[in-house]
Amino acid sequence: MEKARKKFYGAKTSPALVTVPAQNYIMIRGKGNPNDIDFSNRVSALYSLAYAVKMAYKAAAIQNEFHDFTVFPLEGIWQKPEGAELVKENLEYTIMIRQPDFICKDMVKAALEQVKMKKPNPLFDEISFDTMQDGTCVELLHIGAYDDEPVSFEKMEQFALSNHLERTKRYHREIYLNNANRVEKSKLKTILRYTVR
């Protein structure tokens, strides 16, 4: 677990190539400004389920087969409508939390039923469990405010150009290594990643 965490969550501040294998996630889709309450509510629902999955696994595991794990950081896939200027209200996103390989769909489903009874929330019905494979990507660790990300994306574009790499999808992935509500903007750490060929 720790080796995987270092490999896929240990980006540097200069662009690099990484190959990301298939990984399992709990995820929820949304649309609109990430500063709005709806986005926060979706993040809260995801974390409620992520911790419920961990607790249910811990309760069911036979002691000597128990692999304790830290809940992975929040990730987001972001896409703006094609050809449009960036208007945050029009953003489409999927936010997600990675699940360890030993957590299966049935375990997530059982934890979801439990959490629905404990803290009813209509957003739980929108959460799904799925596998994603990003493959070959350019990534970079962005330090600072989210609104300053274009500077980091420019570095990534230059790196891709220099290495004859072509971006294959319009969306990009962001991995949030710290909490925007608890850390000042200048110290935020976000991995930026997009697929190339």
Side-chain angles (χ1 to χ4, degrees), residues 176-194:
Y176 309 103
L177 300 182
N178 47 19
N179 187 330
N181 298 323
R182 296 181 190 160
V183 175
E184 58 185 82
K185 284 183 179 180
S186 64
K187 293 181 179 172
L188 287 171
K189 292 182 178 180
T190 311
I191 296 174
L192 304 178
R193 187 186 285 163
Y194 59 69

Side-chain angles (χ1 to χ4, degrees), residues 14 32 34 37 50 58 62 69 71 80-81 85 87 90-91 107 128 131 138 152 158 165 179 186-188:
S14 50
I37 191 72
K58 192 173 181 178
I62 300 163
F69 65 94
V71 169
K80 69 182 180 79
E85 286 298 306
V87 177
N90 295 337
L91 284 170
M107 292 159 92
S128 61
T131 301
V138 172
S152 291
Q158 289 303 323
L165 298 165
N179 187 330
S186 64
K187 293 181 179 172
L188 287 171

Side-chain angles (χ1 to χ4, degrees), residues 14-65:
S14 50
L17 265 186
V18 62
T19 302
V20 185
Q23 297 174 333
N24 296 328
Y25 295 91
I26 53 170
M27 55 181 73
I28 187 169
R29 290 182 170 79
K31 185 176 180 179
N33 192 324
N35 298 310
D36 290 348
I37 191 72
D38 181 63
F39 181 80
S40 302
N41 290 341
R42 287 170 190 275
V43 171
S44 296
L46 261 189
Y47 270 111
S48 293
L49 177 56
Y51 281 103
V53 167
K54 176 177 165 136
M55 293 303 119
Y57 169 73
K58 192 173 181 178
I62 300 163
Q63 205 53 44
N64 62 0
E65 289 183 16

Side-chain angles (χ1 to χ4, degrees), residues 49 56 104-115 117:
L49 177 56
C104 66
K105 192 171 189 172
D106 287 345
M107 292 159 92
V108 170
K109 196 175 170 186
L112 188 56
E113 292 311 312
Q114 284 187 328
V115 82
M117 286 191 288

